[in-house]
Amino acid sequence: MVSHTRLYGAAIAVASGLYSVTSAITGSRMGVGGWIMGLIGVVVIVHGVALLTDAATRLGGVSGPLMVGYAVVMLLLQILYGVGMLAVGGTSGMAGGGMTGGGAGMGVTAGMGWDAGMVALALLMLVSGLVMTRDGPTESGRRM
């Protein structure tokens, strides 16, 4: 029986990975950042599926830190999109309309380079990885 921690971790990983891959292949993320986001998404999906199998036992205590690592990469990419250092839809984040109210300030707009959904999922995956790291390798809810 798979532990609750592994079930939640798998669900979060698969959802985050699918969102990342979808974002990369639909063209909303162009360039190197999109390729990195798509690749990390595939890796996260594979990790999420592995958490539901016996492979999770072989991953042992490294699974949580891996999730933290994936989340950090995703968050760093979003920061780079947000400050306009990575291209979004063929333009830099700021040239893509990141300013709101005629330049009155930065707000959450469709034109900003970062993706609020990806940030939320990456933060959720970060917390999941920290919980998995804290709990250590588990099987059926018990410490091994």
Side-chain angles (χ1 to χ4, degrees), residues 18-109:
L18 286 173
Y19 191 92
S20 183
V21 169
T22 301
S23 177
I25 64 174
T26 60
S28 64
R29 299 286 179 211
M30 309 283 286
V32 174
W35 282 102
I36 294 169
M37 192 64 88
L39 180 62
I40 196 96
V42 169
V43 170
V44 170
I45 291 168
V46 170
H47 186 175
V49 171
L51 287 173
L52 300 173
T53 68
D54 290 335
T57 307
R58 288 189 294 278
L59 285 171
V62 75
S63 193
L66 282 172
M67 293 277 279
V68 169
Y70 306 146
V72 167
V73 170
M74 289 177 170
L75 288 169
L76 286 174
L77 284 170
Q78 291 306 309
I79 290 168
L80 292 175
Y81 281 124
V83 298
M85 293 183 73
L86 290 177
V88 178
T91 64
S92 73
M94 294 311 294
M99 300 299 277
T100 61
M106 302 219 355
V108 179
T109 67

